[in-house]
Amino acid sequence: MPELPEVETIRRTLAQHVSGSKITSIQVIWPGALKGWEDQEFVASVTGKKMERFDRRGKYLLIELEQGWSLIAHMRMTGRLLYYPQAHEPERHTHVVFGLDHGELHFADLRKFGRIQVVPTSERWKVPSLAILGPEPLSLEFTPEVLMERLKRKKSNLKTVLLNQSVLAGLGNIYTDESLFRAFLAPERLADSLSLAEVVLLHRAIQEVLREGIAAQGTSFRDYRDANGAKGTFQNSLQVYGRSGEACLLCGMLLTKKRLGGRTTVFCPRCQH
DNA sequence: CCTTATGCCTGAATGC
DNA sequence: TGCATTCAGGCATAAG
């Protein structure tokens, strides 16, 4: 499921192929994939415009178009943005086809949770889902002190709090579990109970795991693909996610699965406190 | 303000 | 084997 490293990889692979490309046509197969606008309006405001810049904020992909318009895409769990150098028949779960001056861009999503919206570029950061986002975990503004201050405000457990995009932008289930394991912190620990030393460990773990995830071009546990349709490789480096019942790679103890904040959480009951 | 629960979706895995 | 149920989960929204 596309989290920060996967969206970043999509951003990079997309920019390689379609930076400066003009959107010459749009075929809306399933209008539900377009958020906030009737599909005719979406088509009208996007057709004929070049894609000039590709940015990312948390798990959101931002595509800046000519003439003051931007696309905002969110993949949720199974969304894909796929570039084809030549015209390509829509696949089973393709919902929108952007015809380009060179090739095509397909938005596909098996579970139909992902969305693309079009907004004036000047109002991008006012879109509520972007406006509420916490700091970028790989930015200079994200320091252990900032993390400490944000965790102090929350009464819930670490797992739930780290998944909250208004606390920190970009972590999903996979990278949260991996970060907590690397920081030796139990997912059930209350977020406001951490010492500064523990927060420093967590801060470092989050940055390491995200940087490694990006370097590995993301985690293709199941559905994730980049804009080339290629899998990432970080699934080979996961230490806890998806390994419930298997041995901890540090101590050999069986990894435990527990539901926290409605999400499956895997951790080592011996290494994480 | 805060936290927790529900709906959206489909395919794979599991249960009987 | 086949059918029904459960599970996977990010986020908007509703409810507590």
Side-chain angles (χ1 to χ4, degrees), chain A residues 192-209:
Chain A
D192 62 1
S193 75
L194 269 59
S195 68
L196 184 56
E198 288 174 320
V199 173
V200 168
L201 270 182
L202 178 59
H203 174 268
R204 185 181 306 155
I206 290 170
Q207 290 202 327
E208 275 182 9
V209 106

Side-chain angles (χ1 to χ4, degrees), chain A residues 5-25:
Chain A
E6 289 75 32
V7 179
E8 178 63 21
T9 304
I10 293 171
R11 185 190 74 76
R12 292 178 183 184
T13 49
L14 211 49
Q16 284 169 5
H17 294 298
V18 302
S19 192
S21 290
K22 182 186 280 188
I23 298 171
T24 54
S25 66

Side-chain angles (χ1 to χ4, degrees), chain A residues 61-120:
Chain A
L61 179 70
L62 307 170
I63 303 176
E64 188 176 335
L65 308 176
E66 287 181 306
Q67 299 165 37
W69 290 99
S70 285
L71 297 175
I72 302 177
H74 198 301
M75 311 299 155
R76 297 285 187 109
M77 267 95 67
T78 54
R80 294 176 177 179
L81 271 170
L82 296 167
Y83 172 71
Y84 297 101
Q86 276 97 34
H88 190 273
E89 198 63 25
E91 303 286 348
R92 177 165 180 186
H93 301 294
T94 300
H95 305 314
V96 183
V97 175
F98 297 88
L100 309 177
D101 41 11
H102 298 288
E104 288 181 350
L105 186 59
H106 290 212
F107 178 69
D109 186 2
L110 183 152
R111 284 188 212 168
K112 295 184 168 179
F113 285 4
R115 296 289 183 268
I116 299 179
Q117 57 183 319
V118 57
V119 298

Side-chain angles (χ1 to χ4, degrees), chain A residues 57-58 130-137 141 150 164-169:
Chain A
R57 180 78 173 92
L130 294 181
I132 59 106
L133 292 177
E136 277 297 316
E141 63 168 308
R150 294 192 157 250
N164 183 340
Q165 301 297 299
S166 70
V167 173
L168 186 62

Side-chain angles (χ1 to χ4, degrees), chain A residues 2 42 55 63 79 100 102 104-105 132-133 136 151 175 179 182 190 204 215 229 237 239 265 269 271:
Chain A
F42 183 98
D55 296 298
I63 303 176
L100 309 177
H102 298 288
E104 288 181 350
L105 186 59
I132 59 106
L133 292 177
E136 277 297 316
L151 294 179
Y175 293 95
S179 297
R182 289 193 189 207
L190 293 180
R204 185 181 306 155
S237 304
Q239 300 183 79
T265 303
C271 295

Side-chain angles (χ1 to χ4, degrees), chain A residues 25-256:
Chain A
S25 66
I26 301 182
Q27 181 189 0
V28 181
I29 298 168
W30 182 61
L34 307 177
K35 181 180 171 182
W37 286 57
E38 297 303 320
D39 49 327
Q40 297 92 335
E41 293 178 285
F42 183 98
V43 170
S45 52
V46 170
T47 306
K49 300 192 170 63
K50 281 185 183 173
M51 294 184 276
E52 294 189 319
R53 249 184 87 114
F54 298 80
D55 296 298
R56 180 192 54 74
R57 180 78 173 92
K59 304 176 197 171
Y60 291 86
L61 179 70
L62 307 170
I63 303 176
E64 188 176 335
L65 308 176
E66 287 181 306
Q67 299 165 37
W69 290 99
S70 285
L71 297 175
I72 302 177
H74 198 301
M75 311 299 155
R76 297 285 187 109
M77 267 95 67
T78 54
R80 294 176 177 179
L81 271 170
L82 296 167
Y83 172 71
Y84 297 101
Q86 276 97 34
H88 190 273
E89 198 63 25
E91 303 286 348
R92 177 165 180 186
H93 301 294
T94 300
H95 305 314
V96 183
V97 175
F98 297 88
L100 309 177
D101 41 11
H102 298 288
E104 288 181 350
L105 186 59
H106 290 212
F107 178 69
D109 186 2
L110 183 152
R111 284 188 212 168
K112 295 184 168 179
F113 285 4
R115 296 289 183 268
I116 299 179
Q117 57 183 319
V118 57
V119 298
T121 300
S122 59
E123 289 172 28
R124 287 201 298 188
W125 308 116
K126 297 174 194 162
V127 173
S129 47
L130 294 181
I132 59 106
L133 292 177
E136 277 297 316
L138 297 179
S139 70
L140 290 174
E141 63 168 308
F142 181 61
T143 61
E145 291 71 25
V146 166
L147 180 58
M148 182 86 178
E149 185 260 335
R150 294 192 157 250
L151 294 179
K152 279 281 177 225
R153 294 167 186 266
K154 296 292 177 183
K155 297 291 177 205
S156 193
N157 61 66
L158 273 180
K159 174 62 182 275
T160 305
V161 169
L162 289 177
L163 284 173
N164 183 340
Q165 301 297 299
S166 70
V167 173
L168 186 62
L171 289 182
N173 212 26
I174 296 173
Y175 293 95
T176 301
D177 279 9
E178 294 298 314
S179 297
L180 288 171
F181 177 74
R182 289 193 189 207
F184 306 104
L185 289 166
E188 298 172 89
R189 271 287 290 282
L190 293 180
D192 62 1
S193 75
L194 269 59
S195 68
L196 184 56
E198 288 174 320
V199 173
V200 168
L201 270 182
L202 178 59
H203 174 268
R204 185 181 306 155
I206 290 170
Q207 290 202 327
E208 275 182 9
V209 106
L210 292 176
R211 288 204 177 99
E212 289 175 25
I214 292 170
Q217 289 148 323
T219 304
S220 291
F221 197 80
R222 176 169 264 162
D223 299 285
Y224 166 71
R225 299 291 186 276
D226 69 18
N228 297 314
K231 294 183 180 184
T233 60
F234 199 65
Q235 63 276 12
N236 302 321
S237 304
L238 297 176
Q239 300 183 79
V240 284
Y241 181 87
R243 298 193 63 244
S244 169
E246 296 178 39
C248 171
L249 296 171
L250 291 181
C251 76
M253 184 96 165
L254 293 189
L255 298 176
T256 301

